[in-house]
Amino acid sequence: MKRIYLDHAATTAVDREVVQTMLPYFTETYGNASSLHSFGRDARNALNASRQTVADALGAQANEIIFTSGGTESDNLALKGVGKGHIITSSIEHPAILSTCRYLEDHGREVTYVPVDSDGMVDPVDVESAITDDTTLISVMHANNEIGTIQPVSEIGSIAKDHGILFHTDAVQSFGKTEINVRKMNIDLLSVSSHKIYGPKGVGALYIRKGVEIEPLMHGGGHEMGMRASTENIPGIVGFAKAASLAVERFEQDTRHLTGLKDMLIAGVMDSIDDVTLNGHPTERLPNNANLRFAFVEGESLLLHLDMKGIAVSTGSACSSASLDPSHVLLALGIAPEDIHGSIRFTLGRGNTESEIRYVLEVLPEIVGKLRAISPLAGG
Amino acid sequence: MEYSEKVLDHFANPRNIGEISDADGVGTVGNPACGDMTTVYIRVKDGRITDIKFKTFGCAAAIATASMTTELALGKTLEGALALSRNDVADALDGLPPVKMHCSNLAADALHAAVEECMAK
Ligand SMILES: Cc1ncc(COP(=O)(O)O)c(C=O)c1O
Ligand code: FES
């Protein structure tokens, strides 16, 4: 059976060019970047070049980039690294932010969670009015991983700047899919991850604006300018940098491709199936995200039927989570729990094709029809 | 979390779907923990279930347990149907993932409610 991967917000396949770029760093250029000999020098050169590439992709300087083990670590480093004060964040952040905030609350820190509107948008006015004398950090994600809504980060950044507060944004989902310039957007701290942009898993970076003081999480040999001890994962970092440069190079082509497929999918589903709603913002959203709500059916059932047809998606349904809690993001939009059940996230990628979307549009109406036929909620 | 072959079979090809318009008993049960819902319809003759149908809104486990419950209950006496437990249903499906055991309550409870309604008549 042909398999169709529509879960690129979860992770992506590593680009073949990226793999090729990485390979020599396992077996030939395997030195420790801290060593003084030529093996070390070669690794160090690769590390420096990679740092420059990632910096360029963000409009930053190389010495403002700290490589980490991924988005989660970058988020932890940013939040825990700002050692004191009140934090303002949003109610729809990724668990890497929310769980870290809960941890900090357990350790006596105060956190304010600003709400979002029904499209998943944070109102910068709410952020500004949450500021207290004790506020040290605002952390609002750039684009949401479930619904793809893109936040007004530039505006939030300038509010933070006006108040002399640090601004962090989790750009794990937006990196490579929207324009990012840390200077223009008034960003002090920004998290990115490699495996969402066709790079290897287990690598990411935190941009730390020059002059911003952050406490490291890892203590040890003083790697990464003392910000993250541990021998650098050179193959991973080289792969991440290659993936970042491909994302920049292919930005316009990717955006056109993804937007076309996403619009085709949304329009096709709306045309062929009744009682479907788009979750998230109609226009201010990632070009690859279609989060759709199918009334009267449950998401795990929908997901498994699609899986039986070879189509991979994800759902915000309570039934598919270990905790049996519905998606905190969809709840924050004010969607009723029974409606959240029928939400499916399709996230498209560079490798998807029109014929794949046509196949989805061919099988989906029948699956939804079948589940509605057995649903007591569908009214006969 | 993995579903057994039998769960997936009953999920993909549920048996006894639908409604019975002049049923002798109807039971509807919803689980507030995750907002799912099952309705079971029975027709009874000489104290035995001669026809049974169901409708479910819920996950694969909820659909599969409802389907299996109707299979197990068909032909049983009302007392036999009342004795059918969620564990019987889960066992007949070669087990359910632990987090999904609560879904199997739904179908057995809906069946019991339908039988009780019938007995009360
Ligand atoms: C918005 C967001 N932040 C953080 C993460 C965590 O990134 P990583 O998997 O690299 O730790 C993810 C990915 O799941 C994400 O979507
Ligand atoms: S119906 Fe919600 S977990 Fe089974």
Side-chain angles (χ1 to χ4, degrees):
Chain A
M1 181 172 59
K2 183 175 163 40
R3 295 198 302 164
I4 300 178
Y5 187 74
L6 301 178
D7 201 13
H8 290 83
T11 195
T12 58
V14 182
D15 188 290
R16 286 182 199 285
E17 255 189 81
V18 169
V19 175
Q20 287 308 315
T21 308
M22 290 171 71
L23 286 179
Y25 292 91
F26 288 102
T27 49
E28 288 153 44
T29 314
Y30 54 82
N32 183 322
S34 303
S35 301
L36 285 178
H37 44 62
S38 70
F39 292 82
R41 245 178 349 260
D42 290 348
R44 200 149 57 243
N45 288 340
L47 178 61
N48 290 339
S50 300
R51 204 185 301 283
Q52 187 64 54
T53 304
V54 172
D56 289 346
L58 298 171
Q61 291 169 17
N63 61 6
E64 296 175 312
I65 301 297
I66 300 300
F67 287 112
T68 66
S69 65
T72 302
E73 186 189 330
S74 299
D75 286 345
N76 271 266
L77 179 56
L79 266 54
K80 293 176 184 164
V82 178
K84 56 180 180 3
H86 168 233
I87 298 172
I88 300 170
T89 188
S90 85
S91 55
I92 62 164
E93 298 294 313
H94 187 272
I97 294 290
L98 287 182
S99 301
T100 304
C101 284
R102 303 260 185 256
Y103 167 86
L104 290 170
E105 282 184 295
D106 287 346
H107 287 74
R109 297 279 293 280
E110 214 183 308
V111 181
T112 301
Y113 302 86
V114 297
V116 292
D117 67 14
S118 59
D119 292 331
M121 222 21 127
V122 170
D123 186 341
V125 172
D126 290 341
V127 174
E128 185 152 32
S129 47
I131 295 173
T132 69
D133 290 344
D134 194 36
T135 308
T136 50
L137 176 69
I138 297 171
S139 178
V140 173
M141 70 199 316
H142 191 194
N144 182 267
N145 45 299
E146 291 188 34
I147 53 175
T149 299
I150 300 170
Q151 304 297 340
V153 288
S154 296
E155 276 177 76
I156 298 170
S158 70
I159 290 169
K161 193 177 176 184
D162 289 347
H163 290 263
I165 295 166
L166 294 176
F167 177 47
H168 168 256
T169 189
D170 176 335
V172 167
Q173 291 291 339
S174 59
F175 187 39
K177 299 187 201 82
T178 58
E179 304 265 8
I180 295 178
N181 184 302
V182 291
R183 289 272 176 291
K184 284 190 197 146
M185 295 161 97
N186 300 306
I187 295 165
D188 299 301
L189 299 155
L190 176 138
S191 305
V192 287
S193 179
S194 156
H195 73 100
K196 312 285 189 186
I197 62 162
Y198 313 96
K201 292 173 181 55
V203 193
L206 180 69
Y207 154 79
I208 307 176
R209 181 194 286 274
K210 200 188 293 172
V212 170
E213 302 251 328
I214 290 286
E215 285 286 321
L217 298 175
M218 303 286 229
H219 300 87
H223 310 81
E224 296 295 291
M225 299 159 258
M227 287 309 302
R228 195 213 186 243
S230 184
T231 302
E232 292 87 350
N233 168 12
I234 302 293
I237 289 169
V238 165
F240 177 28
K242 181 67 186 175
S245 73
L246 289 175
V248 170
E249 202 176 295
R250 299 179 185 173
F251 183 75
E252 266 151 43
Q253 186 188 331
D254 279 352
T255 304
R256 218 174 317 117
H257 177 66
L258 294 172
T259 306
L261 294 184
K262 177 204 61 172
D263 291 346
M264 173 181 170
L265 176 64
I266 294 173
V269 168
M270 298 276 186
D271 276 354
S272 57
I273 305 174
D274 291 335
D275 299 309
V276 182
T277 315
L278 181 69
N279 291 323
H281 199 282
T283 53
E284 295 300 307
R285 68 189 299 134
L286 290 176
N288 74 326
N289 176 298
N291 189 318
L292 295 163
R293 198 157 91 226
F294 299 85
F296 319 127
V297 299
E298 190 282 317
E300 189 208 78
S301 293
L302 213 46
L303 181 151
L304 282 175
H305 269 295
L306 286 166
D307 188 44
M308 287 171 176
K309 299 280 187 191
I311 300 165
V313 299
S314 79
T315 171
S317 171
C319 303
S320 71
S321 73
S323 61
L324 299 176
D325 291 328
S327 150
H328 72 282
V329 175
L330 299 177
L331 275 177
L333 305 194
I335 303 171
E338 59 269 29
D339 292 330
I340 292 175
H341 271 82
S343 291
I344 293 286
R345 179 187 73 179
F346 302 86
T347 45
L348 314 177
R350 209 179 261 161
N352 290 132
T353 62
E354 271 189 30
S355 87
E356 289 179 334
I357 302 302
R358 265 197 298 279
Y359 176 69
V360 173
L361 291 173
E362 215 174 278
V363 302
L364 191 57
E366 194 190 317
I367 292 172
V368 174
K370 201 168 156 177
L371 287 172
R372 283 183 178 168
I374 69 170
S375 170
L377 305 181
Chain B
M1 190 199 78
E2 285 287 341
Y3 285 126
S4 71
E5 288 291 326
K6 273 204 184 142
V7 171
L8 290 175
D9 175 41
H10 276 263
F11 161 66
N13 311 291
R15 332 295 199 249
N16 305 311
I17 298 167
E19 300 174 9
I20 299 173
S21 52
D22 51 349
D24 297 310
V26 181
T28 294
V29 171
N31 181 337
C34 54
D36 42 23
M37 198 169 140
T38 286
T39 303
V40 170
Y41 303 81
I42 53 172
R43 201 192 305 278
V44 178
K45 200 162 177 238
D46 301 331
R48 279 187 189 274
I49 296 178
T50 56
D51 194 10
I52 183 163
K53 296 264 188 265
F54 83 94
K55 283 199 155 186
T56 289
F57 163 76
C59 70
I63 292 172
T65 51
S67 168
M68 179 55 90
T69 300
T70 61
E71 273 207 330
L72 292 177
L74 187 61
K76 277 210 166 34
T77 61
L78 292 180
E79 292 71 22
L82 278 182
L84 202 61
S85 74
R86 71 167 190 168
N87 288 328
D88 298 332
V89 178
D91 289 347
L93 288 166
D94 294 338
L96 284 170
V99 294
K100 294 292 185 178
M101 275 309 285
H102 72 279
C103 310
S104 60
N105 281 332
L106 214 58
D109 289 354
L111 171 68
H112 297 163
V115 168
E116 276 156 17
E117 189 191 84
C118 177
M119 284 175 153
K121 272 182 185 171

